[in-house]
Amino acid sequence: MEQKELRAFVRLVLAEAHDYDGYIVVRAQTHREWGMRLSNGKFQRVSSGGDSGLGVQAFTKDGASGFATSDILEEGIGRKLVEKAIRLASRNEGIGTERNRRIWEAPLVQVEGVNPAQKGFEEIPLVDLEEMVMTLHNSLRGVYPEGAWQTSYRQVEEVWCIGRTDGTLVSFVVPRAVLMHQGTVRDQGRAQSTLVHRSGIDATVLIEELADHTLERKAVDRAEFAKAVCGAPQLPSGHYPLIIDYGLAKGLAHEAFGHAVESDHMNESVLGEKGKLRKGLRVARPGVTIVDGPLVGDWAYQPYSANGLPRETVTIVRDGILEAGLGDIFSAEEAGMPVTGAGRSEGYGNIPLPRMSNIRLIVDRMLPLTPAEHLMDEVKAVRNALLEHGELLEGEKNLLLLGYRGGQVNPKTGDFVFQCDGIIDASDPNLPIYQPSIFSGKILSALEAIRGGLGEGCYDAIGTCGKGGQSVASSGGSHRYLLMDSDQQVSLGGERG
């Protein structure tokens, strides 16, 4: 179904519940996707798929809820789901499940969103997309034949419509696309891999890459760096002044901080106290700000919540002070924060949970940096900028961490462990390279160690965020690089597992 058809369908489902004295939320979604993967000049996989369905959440007058779903969008299915959801809600009320009436307080919203894509999902046929991706893949292999290359492309379009008993009807389209190059290089008996991406909202990603080959040059640069890492020494464990790139900064903001301010887990968060957000707590130096909110054209763009509320841009930390959290309609009040439309769900068959969209870490003290075309030229520019502003201490390593390879965080204790691709000592004019090491410590100590930024904001570090058995697109970033003082609660050392 297209957007207008989905809206009409949701209206019909709501009409089926017009006599119910409780509350109904209807979520309808269509999802279609193209994907392909190439390895060393050959297609490994080409896929074309999609699904659609309907979720109905019913609430009794006392706030007990029931949820029913179907993967069929046909006349008559709405009544069956409404009846089933109401029966489940009544049963849950009878057995004493938790009750929540806050959905009655949600404001009425009526919006028909505009699709932000420049190219329609099927405007460029799949066979043409295959040819474009193969051309890009072979071009990279020709430029850097020493690597074993895999190229993948994914293009998604989700159409959502959320309707509620109060007359709310919100529909929107979420398109996204990403091109990735993954390479493996070998040297001195060791192998290292690299992964680069270029994301957007439609096949324009491919058109632009065919014109400028920006991702190809980045892939070659990172492959050369990976090759140098193969023969690099291991860094002694310790506490060092650090320079982290925006991908690692996004990981820090997202994993070590963003999850800690989501309203449904305040009882388990280092940033919560007695189930409430610790607003007013100093978590970083003055001038450090953390913001979460949707950006048009971004991989994780979502303008409205899965409960039909506008997705607000939230300043989580302002000038070093914890100010707000990411609250959904059901858990925000209990967590001591306002509702910000943060409820996201993977699909029509999932209950929304408070989640991030694009989270970015920004500092007032920003040193200028002109990005260079090649990685090591940019590292030299980083070193020169730090020298110019007196940011390098003579005789002390100042370590530049490149790449984010994931990690783990304990939101209750604030402990984090992250992994990077490799390390460069920017204090040494020879720019020696070291093996990847584990970046670990305490959330609040890491934030307190941030003393400045280098270069303009880069917010296209993408990923997939898992929570409660659901996966959604995530993204974010910071300045091109963040500067961090040495801290006894933040360590670098140990081989990547």
Side-chain angles (χ1 to χ4, degrees):
M1 287 186 180
E2 299 297 330
Q3 187 175 0
K4 290 187 180 298
E5 296 175 289
L6 212 60
R7 289 174 66 87
F9 185 80
V10 170
R11 285 194 189 97
L12 288 175
V13 177
L14 287 170
E16 301 284 5
H18 71 280
D19 290 333
Y20 181 51
D21 60 358
Y23 200 101
I24 298 290
V25 181
V26 178
R27 302 181 188 95
Q29 178 202 25
T30 63
H31 173 109
R32 49 185 178 172
E33 179 172 338
W34 281 337
M36 60 195 73
R37 183 181 179 89
L38 298 87
S39 179
N40 296 321
K42 296 180 180 180
F43 278 102
Q44 285 188 320
R45 171 183 57 83
V46 177
S47 61
S48 176
D51 58 5
S52 61
L54 182 70
V56 176
Q57 191 172 9
F59 296 82
T60 67
K61 287 188 294 183
D62 290 332
S65 70
F67 186 52
T69 69
S70 173
D71 59 1
I72 300 172
L73 293 179
E74 294 179 358
E75 186 176 349
I77 194 65
R79 175 177 290 277
K80 294 178 182 178
L81 288 187
V82 168
E83 292 173 350
K84 184 176 181 180
I86 291 173
R87 286 197 305 271
L88 288 170
S90 298
R91 177 184 177 278
N92 288 336
E93 184 172 82
I95 62 175
T97 57
E98 184 178 349
R99 302 177 188 186
N100 192 316
R101 282 184 47 85
R102 294 192 182 98
I103 191 67
W104 273 266
E105 302 168 11
L108 188 153
V109 183
Q110 293 186 334
V111 175
E112 184 174 0
V114 176
N115 186 346
Q118 301 175 49
K119 298 284 185 182
F121 184 82
E122 295 180 330
E123 186 172 337
I124 300 178
L126 180 57
V127 64
D128 292 344
L129 294 176
E130 293 172 3
E131 182 179 347
M132 294 163 76
V133 176
M134 177 61 85
T135 298
L136 292 169
H137 176 68
N138 284 334
S139 176
L140 175 57
R141 294 180 67 229
V143 171
Y144 199 86
E146 305 97 306
W149 292 104
Q150 294 179 330
T151 298
S152 62
Y153 175 69
R154 186 181 178 206
Q155 182 176 312
V156 179
E157 181 188 77
E158 295 180 4
V159 184
W160 283 88
C161 185
I162 298 103
R164 303 198 312 254
T165 296
D166 65 356
T168 285
L169 192 68
V170 172
S171 64
F172 55 94
V173 182
V174 179
R176 58 181 180 269
V178 62
L179 173 69
M180 292 187 177
H181 293 311
Q182 182 173 356
T184 301
V185 296
R186 299 180 183 276
D187 191 51
Q188 300 186 33
R190 292 182 175 180
Q192 289 286 338
S193 63
T194 186
L195 177 67
V196 296
H197 76 271
R198 184 170 186 166
S199 64
I201 54 177
D202 55 38
T204 304
V205 168
L206 299 179
I207 296 170
E208 292 176 346
E209 179 63 19
L210 286 166
D212 60 28
H213 293 276
T214 297
L215 188 63
E216 178 182 285
R217 291 193 296 274
K218 185 176 181 180
V220 170
D221 267 352
R222 290 306 174 106
E224 283 292 317
F225 178 65
K227 187 175 181 180
V229 166
C230 286
Q234 187 71 38
L235 184 76
S237 299
H239 312 286
Y240 301 95
L242 301 176
I243 309 155
I244 63 174
D245 71 9
Y246 74 91
L248 196 54
K250 181 261 183 177
L252 179 66
H254 179 105
E255 299 292 351
F257 200 87
H259 280 307
V261 298
E262 292 168 342
S263 59
D264 59 340
H265 285 314
M266 277 299 104
N267 285 313
E268 304 167 356
S269 172
V270 68
L271 298 177
E273 185 174 20
K274 296 180 180 179
K276 303 286 187 182
L277 183 71
R278 298 167 67 186
K279 289 186 289 188
L281 178 71
R282 176 165 290 283
V283 296
R285 297 179 184 180
V288 175
T289 296
I290 299 177
V291 175
D292 181 272
L295 297 175
V296 178
D298 179 59
W299 170 254
Y301 174 67
Q302 183 178 359
Y304 297 91
S305 82
N307 291 310
L309 300 176
R311 176 86 198 204
E312 297 179 17
T313 295
V314 179
T315 300
I316 298 169
V317 174
R318 187 189 302 274
D319 205 25
I321 304 296
L322 181 61
E323 182 174 276
L326 303 176
D328 79 335
I329 187 68
F330 296 105
S331 59
E333 183 178 344
E334 184 177 357
M337 62 181 73
V339 177
T340 63
R344 297 182 68 185
S345 62
E346 180 178 346
Y348 65 88
N350 303 106
I351 296 293
L353 302 172
R355 311 287 289 271
M356 289 164 276
S357 56
N358 184 296
I359 189 164
R360 48 256 190 210
L361 200 160
I362 307 161
V363 294
D364 287 350
R365 184 170 178 265
M366 192 273 286
L367 307 180
L369 175 72
T370 302
E373 183 174 349
H374 296 291
L375 175 62
M376 294 310 295
D377 289 339
E378 183 161 292
V379 174
K380 291 175 184 176
V382 168
R383 171 179 162 79
N384 291 338
L386 296 179
L387 285 171
E388 181 181 347
H389 291 88
E391 294 288 336
L392 284 181
L393 299 178
E394 191 170 341
E396 183 177 21
K397 290 185 184 297
N398 206 305
L399 301 175
L400 172 61
L401 277 59
L402 290 171
Y404 174 59
R405 287 298 183 94
Q408 295 179 335
V409 175
N410 184 332
K412 193 168 186 176
T413 63
D415 295 297
F416 71 87
V417 177
F418 294 149
Q419 299 175 346
C420 66
D421 287 339
I423 302 168
I424 300 174
D425 184 3
S427 66
D428 188 325
N430 296 316
L431 300 175
I433 295 173
Y434 293 92
Q435 288 281 321
S437 291
I438 295 171
F439 173 41
S440 62
K442 297 284 188 180
I443 296 172
L444 299 184
S445 296
L447 286 179
E448 186 67 32
I450 296 170
R451 72 175 188 272
L454 193 57
E456 299 297 329
C458 301
Y459 308 133
D460 64 344
I462 71 170
T464 301
C465 174
K467 176 182 174 182
Q470 301 183 44
S471 295
V472 299
S474 72
S475 57
S478 69
H479 300 272
R480 187 166 291 273
Y481 299 94
L482 287 182
L483 310 179
M484 300 177 64
D485 284 332
S486 174
D487 189 286
Q488 292 301 304
Q489 296 296 318
V490 178
S491 301
L492 194 63
E495 292 190 32
R496 189 176 69 197

